[in-house]
Structure formats: C-alpha cells, structure tokens
Amino acid sequence: MSANIKTLKVALLGAGNVGSQVARILLEDAAALAARTGARLELAGIAVRNIDAPREVEVPRELYTTDASALVRNADIVIELMGGIEPARTLILEAIEHGATVVTGNKALLAVDGPTLYEKADAAGVQLSYEAAVAGAIPILRPITDSLAGDKITRVMGIVNGTTNFILDAMDSTGAEFADALAEATRLGYAEADPTADIEGHDAAAKGAILASLAFHTRVALEDVHCQGITAVTATDIASAKDAGYVIKLLAIAEKLDGGVSVRVHPTLIPREHPLGAVRGAFNAVFVEAESAGELMFYGRGAGGSPTASAVMGDVVSAARRLVLGGPGRTDSTIEVLPVLPIDAVATRYYIGLDAADQPGVLSKIAALFAENGVSIETMRQTVHRDRDEAKNAGPASAELRIVTHRASEAALAATVEAIKGLDIINSVTSVLRVEGV
Ligand code: NAP
C-alpha cells in the first residue's frame, strides 16, 4: 500500500454500544480498511457527553471531545451514533453543509425528519447512508437499492424488531402470557426499561417506512404506516395459531398495490414452515419478493454493538471508496411519488378464533354471516371442549372454532366480526389476526 494514499478524516459522534465498536474496528483494522478503500481512514475524534465515562473499548483519551460541532466541521466522513433527535439532527445538517459524507444508524431521527435530511444531502451532492438503521447487522438497504436496482420489488416483509420477536418466540415456546414474556425479555436485557417503542410497533413502523421508501422509490413517512403492536396478543392466540400450524410474528409489511403502496405493522400469523416462521429469539429477517429475482431472505442479528458496527462500517467503506474515486454522493432514488394507501385498501387473509356454544346449526349460522358480508371462508376447524367444561361444571359444552378466510378487506372483516358477536351462540371472539405467507 502506497504511503501517499489519500487520508480521509472520520468524525465519530458517540461511543456507546455501537460507536465504541466502530472505533475499535477503525483502529484495529486500519490497514485492511486502507487496502479495501484506497484511503487511510483516520479517526479524527470521538464526540461524547462525558470524556471520563468508562468505555467498552480502549481508545487513546485524546481522541475524545465534547465539541462535536468542531469535529464535524473538519471531517470527510461523519458517523453519527449518538441517537435521539437533537443534537444529532443539527450535527448531521452541519456535516452535509460542510460537504462531509454522513453515515448514521439513527432510525428515530430518520423516522421523524428523514425527508429533510435526504433532500439536504441530495442538494449538497453528499452521500447519506443508514444501513444500520434497519435490522442491525443485516445488509438489507444496499441489496434493495443496489443489488435489486434492476428488478421490481413487489413486497417486503420483515421481522425488524428483535425485542418483540424475542417476546413472541418465548410465548410460542413456553406458553407464557405477554406480560411474563416481556418481564423475561427485560430481565435478559432484550427489552429496554421503557419498551413502548418496541411493543407498540413504533420502532418496526419507522423501519417499515424506510424499507418501503427504498423498495418502491417513493417517500413513505412514519405517519403513513398503519401500526399495531403486540400488547394484545394472548397465550390463547399463540396456542391456537400453533395448533393450526401457524406462528405469530410482528411483521412490517410494505407492498405495491394497484394505485399506490401500503405499509403496515401488525402481529401476523404465518405458516410455521415459512422462512420467517423459523426466525427465533431476538433475530431479525427480511423477506423480499421481486418480479425477476423471486423470493429472497436476509437473516441475522438485528441489534448489538458489534453486529450493528458491521453495518455502519459497510457504509463507511462504501463512502470512502466513493470519495477516493470521486463523483457525486447519492442518497436514494425517489423517482416516483406513489400514494400511500390506507389500511382499508389492503385485502388480507384473516384468522378468527371463536368460542361458541356446541349446538347443532352453529357452523351454518356462522358461515352464513361470513357469506352475507362477502368474506369467503377457506378453512373452519372445530374443537369441542366437553370434558374440560364438564369437569369445571361450567355449563354446556363449548366449541373452539378457528376460521381462516380468503382475502378480505378490513371493512368486510370488521362487519363480519360485529355480526358474529351479535349471535347468541357466541361466547366470545377470541382472536382476529391477519395471515400472510400462505
Ligand atoms: P448509546 O449506547 O446510548 O450511545 C450513545 C453515545 O452517544 C454515547 O457515547 C453518548 O456519550 C453519546 N452522546 C449522546 N448524546 C450526546 C451529546 N449530546 N453530545 C455528545 N455525545 C452524545 O447508543 P447506541 O446503542 O450505541 O446507539 C447509537 C445509535 O445506533 C442510535 O441511533 C441507535 O438507534 C442506533 N442503533 C443501535 C443499535 C444497537 O443495537 N444498540 C442497533 C441499530 C441501530 P456518553 O457515552 O458520554 O454518554
């Protein structure tokens, strides 16, 4: 390697879980990175709040600074790993203004103000990359924007939140209720002290908006994403889904439909043999369907310092290569302005669990209501709980009914469920969940 190769100054903002691992790689692997990029990546400084805080990785103390702004002004590449909205947003805008390439993993900021940042970067001709913002270590954004750039993506379905996958997987394998599985996730460090953003689906929705924007070359904002979390998923839902050959996952689903795109996050039944059905624990996976490529699946760790640092470094190397070769930076291609359709425009299959009286004619009454509302039944299974109820002396025997429909609109399904609730033979509607991957 020539001693005269270009030096690129790298400013690292943040030395937490991810930032400290990025610093480690930049320092430990400097020679390999220089060989791969054709430039010396010089870690010019690391901005933190507290210079004396204990760190996971040993870094020369003089690299730490509390003056993030000064660091940004002198950098060729700015890696933002502070998290949060401010001062991250101001610093990224400052970096763009100074012509620096920006790499970030800040999904919260991209969800709130991504379009402003993309536009500023485009206008300034600088690169803004954020592979780490979706599904941690998994290379998914560059495959979508580069490898599949010559194809047409039709659908993306992702398990993009490890906390909720851990919880649902624990419920599936142990039969635990949601609250107990969440407590276990918190105890093991998979859930944060305030798990709202994860369990209510907001984190997955932010990632869904990014995936949809890139897959369909359009702008999808966080507020366009229909979002339902997993707090209402019960052990009964999980058990009956399991019994019927399904597993419940929190999916972020982006799809191209006639007249626009749809992006939604909700607990979803998928067949256990579907590739996404095999994603256990806190792992993430993204299943992509494209016109020519067919089905692809990307799988790996969705979080953690080292895995996420790998995704960050992929962006850094790619940015450095571009800076060495010259040419303008590129964010993403928003060549289309597609309407984001409301959830009512989406037709999916549904799974409905019912607790009904075990009487003659029950099935035909229920089937008639589905037909009246234009919802076609694919399968209906009945399990009679005569022994259980008699043992408990709980009155007449009841039947558990599990119905899977053909594709139906949300409105038609809601009308059907309302009508079923009005039947005197129905004790309760125990589950209404969407089904995908069939
Ligand atoms: P973290 O552990 O909380 O670290 C944040 C770092 O930023 C700390 O070093 C902190 O300094 C510094 N910082 C925060 N505010 C600052 C300020 N105002 N001025 C100067 N320094 C400041 O966060 P993380 O887990 O590494 O996550 C970083 C980013 O990566 C976030 O956007 C996150 O969403 C994203 N991400 C994380 C993961 C993951 O697994 N952790 C996965 C994917 C994406 P002090 O140390 O001095 O407090």
Side-chain angles (χ1 to χ4, degrees):
M1 174 67 49
S2 155
N4 297 324
I5 65 166
K6 192 170 185 162
T7 294
L8 295 172
K9 285 191 184 297
V10 179
L12 179 57
L13 312 182
N17 295 315
V18 186
S20 60
Q21 296 303 324
V22 167
R24 174 184 63 74
I25 296 171
L26 281 167
L27 294 171
E28 273 179 19
D29 298 343
L33 291 167
R36 284 173 212 161
T37 60
R40 202 169 76 83
L41 301 184
E42 180 197 321
L43 181 54
I46 309 173
V48 291
R49 274 178 300 217
N50 176 8
I51 288 177
D52 296 316
R55 305 277 164 201
E56 271 182 38
V57 173
E58 221 169 281
V59 169
R61 193 179 185 281
E62 61 273 18
L63 283 178
Y64 289 114
T65 174
T66 53
D67 191 350
S69 190
L71 203 54
V72 163
R73 284 195 299 272
N74 287 308
D76 299 298
I77 299 174
V78 172
I79 308 174
E80 186 279 306
L81 292 167
M82 287 177 166
I85 307 302
E86 285 295 351
R89 170 172 37 199
T90 302
L91 290 164
I92 289 178
L93 289 171
E94 223 174 318
I96 292 170
E97 222 168 85
H98 282 86
T101 296
V102 178
V103 174
T104 179
N106 196 332
K107 59 223 161 191
L109 174 58
L110 294 175
V112 172
D113 211 13
T116 311
L117 302 179
Y118 308 142
E119 274 155 32
K120 295 270 186 204
D122 270 344
V126 305
Q127 177 103 9
L128 168 64
S129 314
Y130 41 92
E131 181 67 71
V134 180
I138 305 175
I140 181 61
L141 300 190
R142 214 162 313 122
I144 285 178
T145 53
D146 289 356
S147 318
L148 290 167
D151 205 336
K152 283 190 195 130
I153 294 175
T154 50
R155 214 147 92 104
V156 180
M157 294 202 289
I159 294 173
V160 288
N161 181 273
T163 307
T164 45
N165 202 56
F166 178 89
I167 293 170
L168 291 172
D169 187 38
M171 291 173 77
D172 186 79
S173 53
T174 66
E177 280 295 355
F178 169 77
D180 298 326
L182 170 60
E184 179 69 354
T186 310
R187 193 182 67 77
L188 295 172
Y190 289 112
E192 291 182 24
D194 177 2
T196 313
D198 293 324
I199 62 177
E200 296 294 354
H202 305 151
D203 174 76
K207 295 164 179 171
I210 294 173
L211 286 170
S213 300
L214 296 179
F216 306 131
H217 313 282
T218 189
R219 287 273 181 258
V220 177
L222 179 59
E223 59 268 24
D224 296 327
V225 182
H226 170 85
C227 180
Q228 183 194 340
I230 63 163
T231 53
V233 177
T234 63
T236 308
D237 289 333
I238 301 263
S240 45
K242 197 172 187 175
D243 207 38
Y246 294 96
V247 58
I248 299 181
K249 297 288 187 191
L250 183 73
L251 296 189
I253 303 171
E255 56 191 338
K256 205 157 184 184
L257 301 171
D258 283 345
V261 298
S262 152
V263 194
R264 52 202 162 92
V265 168
H266 50 69
T268 314
L269 267 77
I270 49 172
R272 296 189 89 81
E273 66 273 13
H274 189 281
L276 287 171
V279 179
R280 308 287 311 270
F283 274 80
N284 281 199
V286 183
F287 190 80
V288 179
E289 293 168 41
E291 227 170 70
S292 300
E295 296 175 346
L296 304 156
M297 174 132 131
F298 301 83
Y299 169 87
R301 291 186 192 279
S306 275
T308 309
S310 162
V312 170
M313 286 308 300
D315 278 348
V316 170
V317 165
S318 159
R321 284 178 178 154
R322 192 181 302 270
L323 290 172
V324 167
L325 293 173
R330 189 187 53 85
T331 48
D332 47 14
S333 57
T334 47
I335 46 174
E336 313 219 34
V337 184
L338 300 173
V340 182
L341 304 173
I343 189 72
D344 308 345
V346 181
T348 61
R349 288 164 190 259
Y350 282 89
Y351 169 88
I352 298 119
L354 300 173
D355 183 354
D358 180 31
Q359 289 172 13
V362 167
L363 297 187
S364 61
K365 279 186 191 167
I366 292 169
L369 282 184
F370 274 85
E372 271 169 35
N373 287 283
V375 178
S376 161
I377 293 176
E378 188 189 77
T379 57
M380 187 177 329
R381 296 177 58 188
Q382 180 183 22
T383 312
V384 177
H385 294 303
R386 196 178 307 279
D387 294 342
R388 183 191 72 185
D389 290 345
E390 276 173 3
K392 280 201 276 177
N393 201 17
S398 62
E400 190 185 342
L401 295 174
R402 296 183 208 118
I403 298 163
V404 177
T405 72
H406 286 292
R407 284 185 182 276
S409 71
E410 168 140 315
L413 200 280
T416 312
V417 170
E418 268 319 294
I420 287 173
K421 279 182 184 165
L423 288 175
D424 56 3
I425 48 162
I426 295 294
N427 300 326
S428 63
V429 176
T430 51
S431 320
V432 178
L433 290 161
R434 287 189 173 80
V435 180
E436 295 285 353
V438 182

